[in-house]
Amino acid sequence: MSRIKVKIKEKDLNIIKEICKSFNNEQGELINVLHKTQEHFGYLPAEIQEVVAKELEMSVAKVYGVVTFYSFFTMKPKGKFPISICTGTACYVRGAENVLGEFKRQLNIEVGETTPDGKFSLSCLRCVGACGLAPVVLVGDKTYGRVSPEGVKDILAEYNDK
Amino acid sequence: MEKVKLSIDNKLVEVEKGTTIYKAAKQLGIDIPVLCYMNLEGLGIENKPGGCRICVVEVEGRRNLAPSCSTDCTEGMVVHTHTMRVINARRTVMEFILSDHPKDCLTCAKSGNCELQDMAVKLGIREIPGQEYAAMSTYKMDFSPSIIRDLDKCIMCRRCEMMCNEFQTVGALSAFNRGFQSAVGPAFEMDIEDSTCTYCGQCVAVCPTGALTEKDHTRDVINALSDPTKTVIVQTAPAVRAALGEEFGLKPGTLVTGKMVTALRRLGFNYVFDTDFAADLTIMEEGTELLGRLTKFLGGDKEVKLPILTSCCPAWVNFFEHNFPEMKDIPSTARSPQQMFGAIAKTYFADKIKVKREDLVVVSIMPCLAKKYEAQRDEFKVDGNPDVDFSLSTRELAHLIKQANLDLKTLPDEDFDKPLGESTGAAVIFGVTGGVIEAATRTAYELHTGKKLAKVEFEQLRGMEFIRKATIDFNGTPINIGIAHGLGNARKLLDEIKAGKSEFHAIEIMACPGGCIGGGGQPLHHSDSSILKARTKAIYAEDEGKVLRKSHENPYIIKLYEEFLGKPMSEKAHHLLHTHYFDKSGKIEIS
Ligand code: SF4
Ligand code: SF4
Ligand code: FES
Ligand code: FES
């Protein structure tokens, strides 16, 4: 717990407490607790991490360390259409970096960020097991294969009026 | 214990099973370089993440090089510590670390005392290839009243994290992020000032690089010394005299009290005083408080709060304000010696020499970084003017002395000035774990029983174990005393109190390993725990050499009460020498 005052809604507080309890408030279950909590809230802002730390009786610095170490945790709310670019070896070799660069340019955001209108967010993934289609991009549940930087515009256009 | 035999660089050695290759090599006098690894031997403080791989060695029959700091010896193992393959690998590791490290060595606060720099010298690094690929991290500098963090210089050894989490159980620091971006710091990259940091400085004491350093006040002190309108006085904490010599190449454990006084005088301080004087004063106040609570308790008063906890260590004060606010009425209300000194200097002494409070600058030399924070707490200011203006570490004093072209080794011995420079042996031992409670016992015993102690040493209160217990017979009344150093150890005793299971009447707590002699502002021990032991010995030697060894016998303390304070715990004493504590725990609020 830090000295900064934490404000949270009672309903949310109870949900986090429930999740921690379902893992017996064990420190060793931190990653699972965070997974469940993120599943529910969509992201893991500072307040939530403070509560988790308190419930598991561990330092919030440690919780933050874990949240920032694993790429599947995020501290910012995801966009309506979360875009994930695979940067596994196969995708990387076939130019995932350029594809990522193009998404960043078009959306004007960095990895881990969300567009101001809340529509798109960007993240990177490790190998998603579709190496034959490399480079691979996911938008929500939909998979796009053999994406080139030139194709980025078309992908985004699909979601324009949604 | 089961033993294993192995060969290292063609020399045979037999070690206990479970010994690492690094330690076995050490027995043979082979010094394998380490960076992330650190071990304060005999204290049980060890950092062994096996992360940097600078310590790799070749083990016959294994394909990969093995990190010697975290690989155990096995029977018949054949190890080579300096084959070409090893030397090349070590160099590659070093080049990799340096590729993500700033190159401003010349102006770095750690320059000349940096383990990374030493390693680059040792390995003969002359260029750093591959820099164009490295993504240098760029974190903002974090300035707090005690500690400065420059995370770009962090090499991820995680020693600081171990000290803060395992030894201190403060948990202010953790590794975060990945790859080149990884660093160690508080949650959400908040400033350390907003975290639960106690400013104990133990992270600074072990950081091998310039990532963690102290807030430096040497310029401020030089400015004050060169201002003709100011009277500048200095106080020196007990632990400083037992360590300062190390910065000038003297053997650890060399006492330099007299030389330090001479150096301070030549630096231009108008009066050279001693925090030990204030330590004697602390005993008068804290000892009286202890006796008061004890007498009430023995008289059957159920309301009285026991055990009483010492309050001389400002990191410890910060710790309980953050973590045990519900117990903030059990520590003694006595201020630390640094602050008692400041309060007396800016009233009693300022009046004596007819200098206005604003024109008197009080500098303190401390083995401690938490004292920097303490000095600027609002409770210790009068109309914005602090009782202690600048608190310098032992290391900063060494810098000041060097800048003045003084060679401490060759200086003559001089004495402290009067009246605030006179002290007893009881005050000197404030610098080691167990010392404050021993000093208090010497005085409390004599005041309570009315008898003279035949022997002033209480061996049962001394030692290096982290938690110690002793029962002292106060003329038929057994008094149970507890001692802890290291905040994690203190936490154990506090949890007992919280659970209503504590058997103690009084507990002494110091945040740093070994007490102040192992403080965060002392010359860096570079993981050599024998240095802490040598300093401890020096402190006890200084006590033994004193004519007066009980605080209540200090004639200048007696005079201070006669002329100014009245008696211990008087209204004036309360106002100047005592304090109150705050609830600084974070709260989760419902919105
Ligand atoms: S700040 Fe210093 S002690 Fe901490 S991990 Fe970085 S280099 Fe190591
Ligand atoms: S000063 Fe002490 S409490 Fe603060 S971060 Fe360093 S080790 Fe932790
Ligand atoms: S590397 Fe991208 S799908 Fe395997
Ligand atoms: S010193 Fe052995 S891995 Fe760092």
Side-chain angles (χ1 to χ4, degrees):
Chain A
M1 178 102 239
S2 67
R3 278 148 66 179
I4 289 175
K5 283 233 161 61
V6 177
K7 282 211 156 84
I8 191 160
K9 289 202 194 77
E10 186 160 13
K11 191 174 107 250
D12 294 347
L13 180 68
N14 290 334
I15 290 167
I16 305 169
K17 281 189 175 169
E18 269 312 304
I19 293 175
C20 292
K21 218 160 124 203
S22 70
F23 290 99
N24 294 325
N25 290 51
E26 268 175 41
Q27 291 181 8
E29 298 281 2
L30 175 64
I31 293 186
N32 291 329
V33 168
L34 291 174
H35 261 303
K36 262 263 155 20
T37 314
Q38 177 160 303
E39 226 165 71
H40 187 274
F41 294 95
Y43 67 119
L44 297 168
E47 315 78 86
I48 288 186
Q49 293 182 43
E50 293 269 13
V51 176
V52 169
K54 190 153 190 185
E55 288 303 305
L56 303 188
E57 288 184 30
M58 59 195 300
S59 83
V60 64
K62 269 262 143 69
V63 175
Y64 174 73
V66 169
V67 168
T68 53
F69 186 82
Y70 294 102
S71 56
F72 40 78
F73 293 128
T74 169
M75 286 184 60
K76 297 202 181 99
K78 283 228 166 102
K80 193 169 163 205
F81 303 108
I83 303 174
S84 311
I85 291 112
C86 175
T87 46
T89 316
C91 292
Y92 191 84
V93 170
R94 300 236 195 119
E97 206 176 0
N98 294 335
V99 174
L100 174 63
E102 188 58 22
F103 273 111
K104 284 191 198 168
R105 210 178 58 82
Q106 296 247 352
L107 297 171
N108 201 17
I109 54 172
E110 288 297 319
V111 173
E113 290 182 350
T114 304
T115 50
D117 59 4
K119 199 158 176 185
F120 296 109
S121 54
L122 262 188
S123 65
C124 292
L125 287 178
R126 278 182 239 164
C127 179
V128 295
C131 305
L133 293 174
V136 173
V137 170
L138 303 175
V139 181
D141 294 334
K142 195 164 169 196
T143 310
Y144 297 82
R146 304 213 173 87
V147 181
S148 64
E150 293 73 37
V152 166
K153 215 161 100 217
D154 295 338
I155 295 178
L156 289 176
E158 278 184 42
Y159 300 89
N160 255 349
D161 36 320
K162 285 197 191 162
Chain B
M1 199 69 200
E2 206 181 321
K3 301 259 189 185
V4 293
K5 280 202 202 83
L6 69 156
S7 130
I8 305 178
D9 292 347
N10 303 320
K11 290 190 194 99
L12 281 180
V13 62
E14 192 179 43
V15 294
E16 272 175 18
K17 205 174 166 193
T19 307
T20 60
I21 298 176
Y22 169 76
K23 282 187 185 161
K26 212 164 193 175
Q27 287 183 18
L28 289 170
I30 299 168
D31 208 6
I32 302 174
V34 290
L35 210 44
C36 67
Y37 179 73
M38 76 161 247
N39 182 21
L40 282 175
E41 235 187 300
L43 285 177
I45 301 176
E46 196 175 25
N47 186 52
K48 202 162 133 180
C52 76
R53 307 193 88 78
I54 207 88
C55 65
V56 285
V57 294
E58 202 164 337
V59 178
E60 280 186 16
R62 289 200 194 180
R63 219 162 49 124
N64 293 330
L65 297 178
S68 61
C69 72
S70 44
T71 306
D72 286 351
C73 299
T74 55
E75 182 63 35
M77 205 179 218
V78 181
V79 178
H80 302 283
T81 73
H82 57 79
T83 61
M84 275 308 125
R85 186 170 166 222
V86 167
I87 290 173
N88 278 332
R90 209 166 268 155
R91 172 180 292 267
T92 307
V93 166
M94 192 60 187
E95 286 169 354
F96 182 72
I97 295 172
L98 293 180
S99 72
D100 184 33
H101 197 86
K103 312 292 180 293
D104 59 347
C105 263
L106 274 179
T107 50
C108 177
K110 268 284 175 60
S111 188
N113 213 345
C114 169
E115 292 178 34
L116 186 65
Q117 202 177 52
D118 291 348
M119 190 64 69
V121 173
K122 181 175 165 114
L123 301 186
I125 306 286
R126 287 291 168 271
E127 55 181 357
I128 303 159
Q131 284 205 66
E132 52 281 26
Y133 309 113
M136 280 258 240
S137 57
T138 44
Y139 287 98
K140 70 176 170 45
M141 295 271 278
D142 177 12
F143 299 94
S144 76
S146 293
I147 292 170
I148 295 179
R149 295 165 58 241
D150 181 357
L151 289 192
D152 294 346
K153 294 191 172 161
C154 175
I155 57 167
M156 284 308 281
C157 67
R158 304 176 72 170
R159 294 181 187 183
C160 55
E161 193 186 345
M162 182 275 295
M163 284 313 268
C164 193
N165 293 314
E166 285 164 40
F167 185 66
Q168 302 294 41
T169 65
V170 168
L173 302 175
S174 169
F176 61 88
N177 288 344
R178 263 169 306 161
F180 279 119
Q181 290 306 316
S182 58
V184 173
F188 321 125
E189 289 175 49
M190 68 172 81
D191 290 344
I192 197 131
E193 210 174 343
D194 297 322
S195 75
T196 50
C197 171
T198 66
Y199 297 127
C200 72
Q202 282 307 313
C203 51
V204 177
V206 299
C207 179
T209 74
L212 298 171
T213 53
E214 71 265 47
K215 166 115 186 178
D216 189 318
H217 283 297
T218 50
R219 292 297 326 162
D220 301 303
V221 171
I222 291 172
N223 286 342
L225 286 170
S226 47
D227 181 345
T229 67
K230 302 282 184 207
T231 302
V232 189
I233 71 173
V234 64
Q235 53 162 323
T236 62
V240 176
R241 66 207 67 190
L244 179 66
E246 292 162 29
E247 294 278 352
F248 297 86
L250 290 169
K251 227 171 82 227
T254 311
L255 279 169
V256 293
T257 319
K259 296 184 186 334
M260 172 182 74
V261 172
T262 308
L264 289 165
R265 208 163 270 137
R266 292 199 187 169
L267 276 167
F269 287 100
N270 299 96
Y271 295 87
V272 181
F273 289 140
D274 201 351
T275 312
D276 287 17
F277 172 85
D280 278 332
L281 187 56
T282 304
I283 289 303
M284 298 307 290
E285 294 295 325
E286 205 169 85
T288 308
E289 198 184 350
L290 165 71
L291 277 182
R293 285 204 216 170
L294 265 182
T295 318
K296 275 195 203 153
F297 173 77
L298 297 172
D301 185 341
K302 291 273 169 289
E303 293 295 286
V304 66
K305 301 272 184 194
L306 281 178
I308 188 168
L309 310 174
T310 57
S311 54
C312 318
C313 169
W316 150 236
V317 168
N318 292 337
F319 184 73
F320 75 71
E321 286 186 327
H322 288 315
N323 298 291
F324 294 91
E326 68 281 8
M327 291 202 247
K328 68 183 175 11
D329 52 349
I330 53 173
S332 161
T333 56
R335 296 184 189 179
S336 74
Q338 162 175 277
Q339 294 309 136
M340 285 204 182
F341 181 96
I344 292 297
K346 288 209 173 172
T347 52
Y348 176 71
F349 181 68
D351 283 351
K352 256 193 196 295
I353 58 167
K354 301 198 169 49
V355 169
K356 285 207 297 278
R357 179 183 179 97
E358 314 79 81
D359 294 331
L360 183 67
V361 178
V362 175
V363 175
S364 68
I365 313 294
M366 295 285 142
C368 176
L369 301 188
K371 297 261 167 47
K372 289 175 184 284
Y373 165 78
E374 183 188 43
Q376 52 99 70
R377 284 179 83 129
D378 286 335
E379 311 91 272
F380 303 138
K381 288 180 184 161
V382 175
D383 299 328
N385 178 281
D387 288 346
V388 174
D389 293 83
F390 305 113
S391 182
L392 262 55
S393 66
T394 311
R395 295 189 291 267
E396 287 168 87
L397 174 60
H399 286 154
L400 265 186
I401 295 174
K402 286 175 188 169
Q403 281 175 45
N405 307 331
L406 298 170
D407 179 14
L408 190 85
K409 287 195 294 296
T410 58
L411 292 179
D413 289 350
E414 288 179 12
D415 281 332
F416 287 107
D417 288 309
K418 307 231 155 27
L420 310 184
E422 194 64 56
S423 68
T424 71
V428 178
I429 58 174
F430 264 60
V432 292
T433 171
V436 171
I437 208 76
E438 180 171 340
T441 304
R442 290 180 191 177
T443 287
Y445 181 93
E446 292 203 350
L447 296 186
H448 179 73
T449 63
K451 288 190 195 160
K452 276 242 174 266
L453 279 169
K455 184 169 184 284
V456 297
E457 295 91 359
F458 288 87
E459 298 292 343
Q460 63 271 50
L461 300 174
R462 301 184 178 183
M464 270 288 197
E465 293 102 280
F466 285 135
I467 296 179
R468 307 196 293 286
K469 306 173 181 192
T471 302
I472 309 249
D473 177 16
F474 268 50
N475 212 16
T477 315
I479 301 296
N480 297 332
I481 291 175
I483 298 165
H485 52 131
L487 296 170
N489 304 307
R491 185 189 284 277
K492 292 183 191 149
L493 296 186
L494 285 173
D495 283 337
E496 271 179 31
I497 301 174
K498 210 167 158 182
K501 289 194 195 128
S502 186
E503 30 157 341
F504 298 115
H505 298 107
I507 298 178
E508 176 206 279
I509 290 167
M510 297 189 190
C512 292
C516 309
I517 51 114
Q522 291 282 59
L524 300 174
H525 50 60
H526 294 299
S527 323
D528 182 352
S529 56
S530 73
I531 294 178
L532 301 186
K533 287 175 198 142
R535 291 176 189 162
T536 303
K537 258 177 104 177
I539 292 278
Y540 284 123
E542 176 108 329
D543 168 33
E544 247 166 63
K546 290 264 188 180
V547 183
L548 297 176
R549 300 181 64 188
K550 289 167 274 186
S551 298
H552 57 285
E553 291 178 348
N554 182 334
Y556 289 87
I557 292 284
I558 297 171
K559 201 158 144 212
L560 173 68
Y561 279 107
E562 279 169 10
E563 288 182 5
F564 187 63
L565 291 169
K567 53 183 194 352
M569 309 274 286
S570 68
E571 209 184 303
K572 198 167 202 171
H574 249 291
H575 176 63
L576 290 172
L577 308 178
H578 290 257
T579 186
H580 50 280
Y581 306 112
F582 300 88
D583 178 351
K584 291 186 179 166
S585 61
K587 295 259 183 302
I588 291 177
E589 283 176 9
I590 305 291
S591 65

